[in-house]
């Protein structure tokens, strides 16, 4: 049995207006087999979007704890599909 893939999407204002709102629809862009492996959660702003010493570009998402900056549906999809084969 394949392992669950935890996907967290930032719901903070910076990430939301930079495209994060569409990331919540990621399951619609995956095959049914892969979508059922996904545990999708919203996260509050972690502060990474406005910490200029780290300069993470919003929108931010996390896949199994690994931060994805400048996240897009295509970027998340690629990362999720790669992890679904492990
Ligand atoms: S709004 Fe997403 S990390 Fe701040």
């Amino acid at each position: 049995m394949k392992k669950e893939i935890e996907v967290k999407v930032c719901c903070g204002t910076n990430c939301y207006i930079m495209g994060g709102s569409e990331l919540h629809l990621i399951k619609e862009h995956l095959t049914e087999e892969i979508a059922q492996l996904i545990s999708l959660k919203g996260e509050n702003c972690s502060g990474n979007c406005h910490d200029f010493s780290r300069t993470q570009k919003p929108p931010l998402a996390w896949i199994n704890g690994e931060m994805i900056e400048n996240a897009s549906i295509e970027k998340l999809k690629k990362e999720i599909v790669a992890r679904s084969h492990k």
Side-chain angles (χ1 to χ4, degrees), residues 1-47:
M1 187 170 168
K2 293 189 176 182
K3 278 178 74 173
E4 180 180 276
I5 300 171
E6 183 185 68
V7 179
K8 294 181 180 175
V9 174
C10 181
C11 299
T13 305
N14 283 343
C15 288
Y16 191 84
I17 63 174
M18 293 298 286
S21 58
E22 74 170 14
L23 300 179
H24 296 275
L25 304 175
I26 184 64
K27 283 183 165 184
E28 296 177 14
H29 297 268
L30 300 167
T31 63
E32 191 175 330
E33 182 187 6
I34 295 175
Q36 67 187 8
L37 299 175
I38 302 294
S39 159
L40 182 63
K41 297 175 183 157
E43 280 284 294
N44 292 328
C45 174
S46 61

